[in-house]
Each structure stands twice: as structure tokens, then as C-alpha cells.
């Protein structure tokens, strides 16, 4: 193995990487301005895929001779175009939205874990407990709900005296689990 190749770079490479990075950066900013801030949001699985794909194209374009800067920029522009078309179709055709996007799912409500939903999300109670601790909770009784969002992030909603606006939860699978059952008078 030639160790010296690990730590070597010539000035032509420095110049090429610098120009490619600058060109890619400018092209990326132009695409983002044209397509909007949604381009790098993490609202859905296709948004996440877009971000990963752009990162991969960026790395290969900037650090190697192939693809060329123009090929990399063209590939990114095509990805932005695809994302824009998918975003419009998701808004206009509701069945397509449910086909493309994951649906948020309730993992815990009113201090109770929903084992079937945890299993479906490939999570354990320990995963949820970690998120609760990160949110500064000391007791399950503080939890109104833990929801795995469409992006894979977990939202923790704390109990308080505010009456829930149920329309905030109507796009979540099993949202009826949020309605706390009335205790029967014995």
C-alpha cells in the first residue's frame, strides 16, 4: 500500500475541487431559489431521499473528474424537477399522497405504549423512553402522546390544561387512541 497517496494532493486537484464546489454551490442555490425552501425540508420520505441523492451527487461531482460539473448540476436540476412534480401531484391527487408518504402513527398516549404500533414502526419501548428523556420528561403521566411522524422523527406532546384541537391529529393513523376513555363510575 502506498501511504503517501493518502496524504497527497496537487494544485490542479485543489483548483478543480474548489471550482467544482463553487459551481455546485451556486447551482444548488439557484435551484433552491427557483423550487423553494421545500427542497431541503424533511417533511416526507421523498424529501429525505432528495437530500441524500443531492449529497451523493455533490460528493462525486466535486471530488472526481466524472461526472463533470455540468453533469452533476444537470442531475441535481432533474432531481429538483422530479421533487417539484411529485409535490404538486401529492397536493392535487390525494390517493397519490398516501401512496408516496408514510403516515404518522401513535406510539404512546396518556402514558400507555401501543405495542402493535411500536412493532409496526420497528421500535421498542426503550426507543420511546429515550425520546421522552431527551424532551425532559420524568414520568409517563406527563405524556399526552408520542407520534412517529412521516419523516421518522418522534413528536412528544405533553399533557397540559389546553383542550386539544383534534384537527391537528386527523392525519395520524389510530388518532382515536388519543381520546382518553372516560373512567366509568363504580
Amino acid at each position: 500500500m502506498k501511504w503517501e497517496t493518502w496524504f497527497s494532493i496537487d494544485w490542479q486537484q485543489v483548483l478543480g475541487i474548489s471550482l467544482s464546489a463553487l459551481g455546485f454551490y451556486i447551482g444548488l442555490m439557484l435551484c433552491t431559489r427557483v423550487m423553494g425552501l421545500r427542497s431541503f425540508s424533511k417533511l416526507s420520505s421523498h424529501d429525505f431521499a432528495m437530500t441524500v441523492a443531492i449529497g451523493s451527487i455533490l460528493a462525486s461531482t466535486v471530488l472526481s473528474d466524472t461526472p463533470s460539473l455540468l453533469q452533476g448540476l444537470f442531475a441535481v436540476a432533474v432531481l429538483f424537477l422530479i421533487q417539484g412534480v411529485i409535490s404538486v401531484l401529492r397536493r392535487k391527487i390525494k390517493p397519490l399522497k398516501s401512496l408516496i408518504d408514510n403516515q404518522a402513527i401513535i406510539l404512546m398516549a396518556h402514558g400507555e405504549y401501543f405495542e402493535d404500533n411500536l412493532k409496526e414502526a420497528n421500535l421498542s419501548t426503550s426507543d420511546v423512553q429515550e425520546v421522552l428523556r431527551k424532551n425532559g420528561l420524568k414520568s409517563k403521566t406527563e405524556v399526552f402522546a408520542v407520534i412517529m411522524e412521516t419523516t421518522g422523527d418522534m413528536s412528544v406532546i405533553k399533557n397540559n390544561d389546553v383542550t386539544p384541537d383534534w384537527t391537528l391529529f386527523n392525519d395520524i393513523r389510530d388518532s382515536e387512541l388519543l381520546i382518553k376513555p372516560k373512567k366509568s363510575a363504580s
Side-chain angles (χ1 to χ4, degrees):
M1 176 177 285
K2 295 181 179 184
W3 290 100
E4 61 274 2
T5 60
W6 281 24
F7 301 105
S8 68
I9 189 168
D10 65 41
W11 291 110
Q12 283 183 323
Q13 290 174 318
V14 169
L15 182 62
I17 290 171
S18 299
L19 290 175
S20 290
L22 179 63
F24 204 98
Y25 181 81
I26 291 169
L28 203 53
M29 291 303 106
L30 287 172
C31 287
T32 304
R33 293 291 288 175
V34 169
M35 296 303 288
L37 291 176
R38 163 84 195 233
S39 306
F40 291 107
S41 70
K42 203 171 76 163
L43 295 174
S44 67
S45 55
H46 80 275
D47 294 325
F48 177 73
M50 167 82 170
T51 303
V52 170
I54 286 177
S56 178
I57 293 169
L58 169 77
S60 62
T61 301
V62 170
L63 293 177
S64 67
D65 296 339
T66 56
S68 70
L69 177 59
L70 288 178
Q71 289 171 326
L73 288 174
F74 181 76
V76 167
V78 169
L79 285 175
F80 272 93
L81 183 63
I82 291 168
Q83 185 189 37
V85 168
I86 288 174
S87 294
V88 168
L89 291 175
R90 280 178 59 246
R91 279 195 316 266
K92 304 269 186 211
I93 306 169
K94 294 299 179 192
L96 189 59
K97 178 177 174 29
S98 62
L99 181 67
I100 293 172
D101 292 341
N102 298 317
Q103 188 175 16
I105 186 170
I106 297 172
L107 304 175
M108 178 184 199
H110 309 293
E112 177 187 342
Y113 295 103
F114 297 115
E115 296 297 333
D116 289 343
N117 290 357
L118 285 168
K119 185 177 179 182
E120 187 170 328
N122 291 320
L123 295 171
S124 67
T125 55
S126 295
D127 297 323
V128 176
Q129 289 167 344
E130 178 183 343
V131 171
L132 295 177
R133 291 189 301 270
K134 285 180 178 178
N135 280 273
L137 298 177
K138 296 183 273 186
S139 171
K140 293 189 296 184
T141 59
E142 295 179 78
V143 177
F144 173 74
V146 177
I147 300 165
M148 180 165 241
E149 302 293 351
T150 61
T151 59
D153 293 329
M154 282 190 245
S155 297
V156 177
I157 304 166
K158 299 175 185 177
N159 272 324
N160 59 29
D161 294 335
V162 176
T163 304
D165 176 355
W166 297 109
T167 61
L168 292 176
F169 305 102
N170 63 7
D171 61 341
I172 301 170
R173 193 175 71 223
D174 299 331
S175 60
E176 67 278 356
L177 297 173
L178 293 175
I179 301 171
K180 195 171 189 177
K182 306 275 189 228
K183 295 191 178 186
S184 57
S186 303

